[in-house]
């Protein structure tokens, strides 16, 4: 429907106006418990929430501690709870753990709300058209993030989720991997990190571990075996880095050659 509206010239396609959709979506489906308000609420302990009120629901978002992109994602995440989960609970309070630090191991309802939000804000067909044949790097992903009105982290996660290329996104803090997400191709080639229950230090020799370089959007060549010890010694990957000082973490993107398998010998498949 948003594509059709944009094609008819009635609305610009991006960024998606989540509050407008939230207020009107129940009428589309003929539901009797609409979202009656979308309001800022400066409660420091949460990024967003969805609560029952007289006559329906109210969608709250924190506008004090979040960028515009994160506010938009928060609103879309709460809209996801409304559409998917409102018959399961009377209230949803979501923190930045649910919103920004998503990745493997999250709670199911939170993962579903995140999946809904990224699908609504960054449709894959539009995203694919933007990056078509371009060499991916943080500058390109930054342009996509600006167009979609989301954070760079959200845009990078979305790209990793659909790309056919071999890529690993790593969020690190204080020299350790916080979480990482691999594309399908990277996972099949053994390029992933088991962060759950494991403490994984950033490898020496990686751009991520180099404290003298805060950011390198276009990336540099790093031996694949620096990150993945079982990789062929001749293989090279492209590593990019963005330091997010405001939030105290760094985001790294590892772009491997599609044919490079990094499984230990006994795990080769
Ligand atoms: Zn949530």
């Amino acid at each position: 429907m948003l594509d059709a509206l944009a094609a008819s010239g009635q609305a610009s396609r991006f960024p998606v106006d989540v509050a407008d959709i939230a207020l009107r979506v129940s009428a589309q489906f003929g539901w009797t418990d609409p979202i009656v308000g979308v309001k800022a609420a400066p409660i420091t302990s949460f990024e967003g929430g969805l609560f029952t009120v007289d006559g329906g629901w109210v969608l709250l978002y924190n506008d004090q501690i979040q960028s515009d992109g994160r506010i938009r994602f928060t609103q879309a995440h709460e809209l996801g709870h409304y559409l998917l989960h409102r018959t399961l609970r009377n209230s949803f309070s979501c923190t930045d753990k649910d919103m920004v630090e998503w990745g493997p191991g999250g709670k199911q309802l939170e993962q579903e709300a995140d999946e809904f939000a990224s699908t609504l804000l960054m449709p894959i067909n539009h995203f694919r058209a933007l990056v078509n044949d371009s060499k991916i790097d943080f500058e390109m992903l930054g342009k996509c993030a600006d167009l979609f009105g989301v954070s760079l982290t959200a845009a990078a996660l979305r790209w990793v989720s659909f790309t056919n290329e071999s890529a690993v996104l790593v969020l690190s803090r204080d020299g350790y991997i916080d979480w990482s997400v691999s594309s399908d191709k990277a996972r099949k080639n053994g390029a992933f990190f088991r962060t759950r229950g494991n403490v994984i230090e950033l490898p020496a020799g990686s751009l991520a571990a180099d404290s003298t370089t805060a950011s390198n959007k276009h990336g540099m060549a790093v031996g694949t075996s620096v990150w993945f010890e079982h990789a062929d010694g001749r293989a090279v990957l492209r590593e990019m880095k963005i330091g997010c000082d405001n939030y105290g973490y760094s985001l790294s993107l590892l772009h491997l050659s599609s044919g490079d398998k990094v499984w230990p010998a006994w795990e080769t498949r």
Side-chain angles (χ1 to χ4, degrees):
M1 285 173 67
L2 293 173
D3 277 342
L5 272 176
S8 69
Q10 295 177 60
S12 61
R13 182 65 180 88
F14 298 109
V16 172
D17 186 343
V18 180
D20 185 57
I21 295 173
L23 293 170
R24 298 207 276 171
V25 72
S26 64
Q28 290 287 344
F29 295 121
W31 294 344
T32 55
D33 58 343
I35 293 175
V36 294
V38 176
K39 295 177 184 154
I43 304 167
T44 51
S45 59
F46 86 149
E47 265 63 37
L50 182 73
F51 303 95
T52 43
V53 293
D54 269 354
W57 296 80
V58 62
L59 190 164
L60 300 181
Y61 60 92
N62 191 326
D63 65 345
Q64 304 290 301
I65 52 174
Q66 305 184 88
S67 63
D68 287 352
R70 285 179 58 179
I71 288 173
R72 183 171 291 104
F73 197 91
T74 297
Q75 291 176 339
H77 174 104
E78 300 307 330
L79 178 58
H81 281 317
Y82 172 76
L83 292 169
L84 300 166
H85 308 134
R86 73 189 189 293
T87 58
L88 305 177
R89 286 201 214 155
N90 290 326
S91 73
F92 300 84
S93 322
C94 305
T95 66
D96 65 345
K97 278 253 181 278
D98 304 321
M99 217 77 64
V100 177
E101 300 183 354
W102 33 303
K107 292 167 258 168
Q108 191 191 343
L109 298 194
E110 299 312 314
Q111 281 193 343
E112 288 176 1
D114 285 335
E115 179 78 25
F116 172 85
S118 59
T119 304
L120 175 68
L121 299 177
M122 300 171 275
I124 285 179
N125 55 331
H126 290 272
F127 209 141
R128 266 193 212 284
L130 278 175
V131 298
N132 189 27
D133 295 335
S134 306
K135 185 173 156 184
I136 202 73
D137 58 29
F138 276 134
E139 185 168 330
M140 181 72 212
L141 289 171
K143 284 182 187 159
C144 297
D146 288 346
L147 176 88
F148 293 130
V150 300
S151 69
L152 178 65
T153 306
L157 273 168
R158 184 66 168 158
W159 179 76
V160 166
S161 79
F162 73 76
T163 185
N164 298 323
E165 296 178 42
S166 179
V168 183
L169 187 68
V170 175
L171 190 140
S172 62
R173 230 183 266 277
D174 303 326
Y176 291 88
I177 297 180
D178 217 359
W179 55 251
S180 95
V181 177
S182 297
S183 67
D184 282 348
K185 182 61 143 186
R187 253 195 315 274
K188 281 184 189 131
N189 286 347
F192 56 84
F193 300 100
R194 294 186 170 104
T195 51
R196 195 191 297 189
N198 290 319
V199 175
I200 303 178
E201 199 170 352
L202 292 173
S206 66
L207 183 58
D210 176 3
S211 58
T212 63
T213 305
S215 290
N216 183 334
K217 284 187 182 181
H218 302 286
M220 56 180 261
V222 171
T224 305
S225 60
V226 166
W227 281 94
F228 305 100
E229 58 176 327
H230 304 291
D232 185 311
R234 292 158 297 180
V236 169
L237 58 77
R238 190 162 50 94
E239 178 177 352
M240 293 146 265
K241 177 181 182 181
I242 288 272
C244 305
D245 293 338
N246 295 354
Y247 300 110
Y249 61 77
S250 288
L251 203 57
S252 299
L253 184 62
L254 314 178
H255 194 191
L256 294 85
S257 295
S258 293
D260 283 344
K261 296 184 169 44
V262 302
W263 294 103
W266 53 271
E267 231 174 326
T268 300
R269 49 195 76 184

